[in-house]
Amino acid sequence: MDYETHPTSRAKVRLYAKMFRKLFGLSLYGPVNPIMLLDKVNKVFSDVDYEIVEEAELPKNVPARCIMTEGSGFIIQIADYVFEGAYERNTGGYRMHIMHEILHPYVYKLGFTPIYNRSVQNKKIPPFKSVEWIVKAMAGEIMMPYEETIGLDEVELIVNYGVSPDAAFKRLKY
């Protein structure tokens, strides 16, 4: 589900990605382990927590999600197979799913909140106004820092940064 929010740019997303790394005490460069970040998320944001759930507890075809709680906090729910794949096999797609969900509360706290009180299902949202685009772009920027990855090919991105082929392909476009 996507929401229209205030516009931003790729350059600002890169800046927010660097801010995220600093906030979580990470180096500005090098690979990031989203599994390790799960244990830090509640220390950085006291109103954000996570849980590993059985696949059947999530909507069909939803490997992970971030939901707002009644007290305006967030709970990140990750399907057990996604967590295990990221943790045990270092599967790039699962690692990106986890990073994506960790970023939803951060993006919300940056002020990228929905403009409307409902989701937009039949209207195409321009990427620069889409919460999902902002979160996806930021996940890529955090996992594969732009300045550090200039000139790398798809295989080098996958091997060095633990991302999916799809994420590596998208990084090469920007």
Side-chain angles (χ1 to χ4, degrees):
M1 188 174 325
D2 199 0
Y3 295 92
E4 186 170 338
T5 191
H6 307 287
T8 195
S9 65
R10 173 71 65 173
K12 286 184 180 176
V13 167
R14 287 188 178 131
L15 176 64
Y16 297 137
K18 288 178 183 176
M19 289 170 44
F20 178 90
R21 280 179 168 257
K22 286 183 180 179
L23 189 63
F24 276 78
L26 304 170
S27 166
L28 290 181
Y29 299 102
V32 172
N33 182 350
I35 296 292
M36 180 268 309
L37 292 181
L38 284 172
D39 291 331
K40 284 186 163 187
V41 74
N42 189 257
K43 293 172 180 69
V44 175
F45 302 121
S46 62
D47 60 344
V48 179
D49 213 342
Y50 78 95
E51 62 185 7
I52 310 305
V53 299
E54 292 183 24
E55 181 180 2
E57 294 180 52
L58 294 170
K60 188 175 180 165
N61 299 321
V62 174
R65 68 180 177 177
C66 182
I67 53 177
M68 188 176 276
T69 63
E70 284 187 31
S72 296
F74 297 87
I75 185 81
I76 298 166
Q77 295 179 322
I78 303 165
D80 51 2
Y81 74 91
V82 171
F83 182 83
E84 290 165 10
Y87 181 74
E88 294 173 5
R89 295 183 304 282
N90 209 30
T91 304
Y94 294 157
R95 289 167 43 90
M96 289 298 288
H97 277 301
I98 293 168
M99 178 58 74
H100 177 100
E101 298 308 332
I102 290 170
L103 286 169
H104 271 288
Y106 176 65
V107 165
Y108 187 88
K109 290 170 186 300
L110 286 173
F112 293 104
T113 56
I115 291 175
Y116 309 111
N117 290 329
R118 61 190 174 355
S119 68
V120 180
Q121 295 179 5
N122 295 327
K123 177 184 172 194
K124 179 124 172 99
I125 303 171
F128 64 94
K129 290 183 176 183
S130 161
V131 169
E132 284 301 311
W133 177 84
I134 294 167
V135 171
K136 286 177 187 176
M138 198 176 303
E141 296 292 341
I142 291 169
M143 296 290 285
M144 301 170 282
Y146 177 73
E147 294 88 356
E148 181 179 342
T149 57
I150 293 172
L152 297 183
D153 65 27
E154 190 173 341
V155 173
E156 290 171 311
L157 291 170
I158 293 166
V159 171
N160 294 337
Y161 296 93
V163 297
S164 66
D166 185 51
F169 177 76
K170 285 182 181 156
R171 163 59 190 90
L172 294 174
K173 292 169 62 174
Y174 303 101

